[in-house]
Amino acid sequence: MATLSMIDSNSHMDKLTSEIFSILENKFLFGYDNNNNNNNVTSPTKDQVSVPIDEMKFHKHVSGKVRVLSIDGGGATDGVLAAMSIVHLESSLRRSSGIPDARISDFFDVVTGSGIGGVLAALLFTKGKDGEPLFTADDALRFVVENGCKMSRFCKPGVFRRILGNPPKSGKVFSKTFGDLSLKDTVKAVLIPCYDLTTGAPFVFSRADAVEMEGCDFKMSDVCAATTAVNGPVETVSVDRRTKISAVTGELAMNNPTAMAITHILNNKQEFPFCNTVDDLLVVSLGNGEPSCGVAGNQTPSRAALLKIVGETVSDTVDQAISMAFGQSRASNYGRIQGNKGFVDSGNLNKGKETNMLKLAEQMLRQKNVESVLFQGKKCNKTNLDKLEFFATEIVKETERRKLNILPTVVLRQTTTSSSPRTSSATTLSITSSN
């Protein structure tokens, strides 16, 4: 009974707080009708607001839209398509904003990535000693081109490594790149999934959890090794050694992690207090190229080919479902970049793997962008490059709107030097309005 009483009391307090906040907000923005006996907020008139009625839509998002970057796991281009998309996106953002040295992390509040996409997220959103992200978009593209095969689920390990059972070479690359940097050292909210064989369920490495609970902070090198664990499970341990998981690639858990990111944002009211629906989001989702199954006639696909087809099919289904969820706002609030290897002119590709992948990705970016809507099929729009340019402009507009915002869009939890566990995130919140 005491528990029920407490819940009931908290419910009343929440309703009271919400009503008080609503009254104060509307009084501050539009004025409040003190003569209204029902204590209902009146609709603002032309005399009560400082902007024309036709601009009232702006006030629907007085705290701004949460900007999300989602990156798929490896597809037809082993991460090169997503990396090249980011290069073009960063270039467009710099051009639109007039900031020549801007980074991709300056314009997004949340990044999520699976597999190779998770590595890209880590490279672009983990800060170095100077406080800036470790890699620019160009640096990240070079990293993926040079190391992509080591992180691909379809790159076969060498004979000696298969016999001796040595750990994947990518682990050494990650250790050299990130050192002792952990999830707490990321500049924005980061979400990177893997599949935990211990629990038989997906596991998400999250900056929010790392800041809140010591047992959820992992080294970024371990996070990347876990989400790209393609040659068997990788034993992954938190920084404080309290949490242990047996990780395999995040591409198996969620090759397209966009839905996970949206769910996290809509349910994380501490960091995104005013984000309630997809209308409060601005999402750019980057695919890595739909595969051509490469199976002739009635030939049965190999296990690797089937796994690839399943992963990309799930990604496409997630894209269609999310597109439908955005409804009429999908044209402005949700952008999906995806190429189709089946429509690439392979005759113009060189034999060298690196050049091959780069040219393949470039062709995919110049393809017509395909918009998928569940149960309504697909339709071709402008090219992928045109769509990247459009969303870069929208993201910069959102960034500029925030300069006039009354309320913060993002309330990032800040790290502390204390080793004692937190009793409540509310005791250590520090408001940070993303620029």
Side-chain angles (χ1 to χ4, degrees), residues 273-289:
F274 305 106
C275 187
N276 299 310
T277 69
V278 292
D279 289 332
D280 302 317
L281 298 170
L282 185 54
V283 180
V284 176
S285 175
L286 305 179
N288 264 309

Side-chain angles (χ1 to χ4, degrees), residues 278-279 320-334 371 373:
V278 292
D279 289 332
Q320 293 186 40
I322 292 174
S323 179
M324 175 163 276
F326 273 88
Q328 296 302 315
S329 65
R330 63 176 172 266
S332 58
N333 287 33
Y334 175 67
E371 180 184 353
V373 182

Side-chain angles (χ1 to χ4, degrees), residues 211-212 412-416 422-431:
V211 172
E212 183 67 20
L412 285 179
R413 301 173 185 176
Q414 300 302 302
T415 58
T416 63
R422 296 166 181 252
T423 55
S424 170
S425 60
T427 62
T428 51
L429 279 179
S430 176
I431 293 180

Side-chain angles (χ1 to χ4, degrees), residues 235-349:
E235 298 302 319
T236 308
V237 185
S238 61
V239 174
D240 66 356
R241 316 295 296 181
R242 295 181 186 177
T243 306
K244 296 181 181 180
I245 64 173
S246 181
V248 292
T249 175
E251 298 171 43
L252 295 178
M254 48 192 83
N255 195 52
N256 179 347
T258 310
M260 174 193 66
I262 292 174
T263 302
H264 172 80
I265 294 166
L266 294 179
N267 288 279
N268 184 355
K269 293 304 180 184
Q270 291 177 311
E271 292 192 326
F272 312 101
F274 305 106
C275 187
N276 299 310
T277 69
V278 292
D279 289 332
D280 302 317
L281 298 170
L282 185 54
V283 180
V284 176
S285 175
L286 305 179
N288 264 309
E290 294 181 349
S292 55
C293 61
V295 178
N298 296 323
Q299 181 182 349
T300 303
S302 66
R303 286 186 178 183
L306 284 173
L307 184 59
K308 196 166 189 175
I309 292 170
V310 170
E312 295 303 327
T313 300
V314 171
S315 292
D316 192 46
T317 303
V318 170
D319 168 42
Q320 293 186 40
I322 292 174
S323 179
M324 175 163 276
F326 273 88
Q328 296 302 315
S329 65
R330 63 176 172 266
S332 58
N333 287 33
Y334 175 67
R336 173 72 172 172
I337 305 299
Q338 178 67 302
N340 192 317
K341 189 177 179 181
F343 292 99
V344 170
D345 181 7
S346 58
N348 293 328
L349 302 178

Side-chain angles (χ1 to χ4, degrees), residues 21 29-30 40 61 73 81 115 119 182 221 228 243 246 254 294 301 312-313 331 335 353-354 358 383 387 402 430:
F21 182 86
L29 288 176
F30 314 120
N40 291 325
H61 300 287
L81 175 60
V119 175
S182 74
S221 57
T228 58
T243 306
S246 181
M254 48 192 83
E312 295 303 327
T313 300
K353 179 173 175 58
E354 291 185 7
L358 288 171
T383 67
K387 198 157 192 175
R402 290 190 182 188
S430 176

Side-chain angles (χ1 to χ4, degrees), residues 66-235:
V66 178
R67 304 161 299 181
V68 184
L69 177 63
S70 177
I71 313 171
D72 278 17
T77 61
D78 290 340
V80 177
L81 175 60
M84 192 167 286
S85 298
I86 293 170
V87 169
H88 284 286
L89 183 58
E90 186 175 83
S91 176
S92 297
L93 289 168
R94 288 175 173 178
R95 188 166 54 253
S96 297
S97 65
I99 306 174
D101 59 346
R103 301 290 189 88
I104 198 79
S105 60
D106 296 333
F107 295 94
F108 286 94
D109 306 304
V110 180
V111 65
T112 182
S114 178
I116 296 177
V119 175
L120 281 168
L123 295 173
L124 296 166
F125 284 77
T126 303
K127 60 185 175 185
K129 294 180 180 179
D130 59 355
E132 293 293 323
L134 290 171
F135 280 44
T136 63
D138 286 320
D139 295 334
L141 174 60
R142 282 192 291 271
F143 182 94
V144 169
V145 169
E146 294 171 2
N147 301 285
C149 185
K150 301 173 187 176
M151 300 178 283
S152 170
R153 63 176 179 257
F154 304 106
C155 184
K156 296 180 181 179
V159 176
F160 291 106
R161 185 147 60 87
R162 288 202 303 267
I163 295 174
L164 299 176
N166 292 333
K169 294 179 181 178
S170 59
K172 294 181 179 178
V173 175
F174 296 144
S175 296
K176 182 179 179 181
T177 302
F178 296 102
D180 291 328
L181 296 173
S182 74
L183 280 165
K184 289 183 179 180
D185 296 307
T186 51
V187 295
K188 298 290 178 65
V190 173
L191 299 163
I192 299 175
C194 70
Y195 189 86
D196 180 16
L197 294 178
T198 304
T199 59
F203 183 92
V204 180
F205 299 101
S206 165
R207 179 193 182 277
D209 290 341
V211 172
E212 183 67 20
M213 298 172 284
E214 294 293 338
C216 292
D217 189 26
F218 293 80
K219 288 184 177 181
M220 293 307 296
S221 57
D222 293 339
V223 172
C224 291
T227 197
T228 58
V230 294
N231 298 313
V234 172
E235 298 302 319

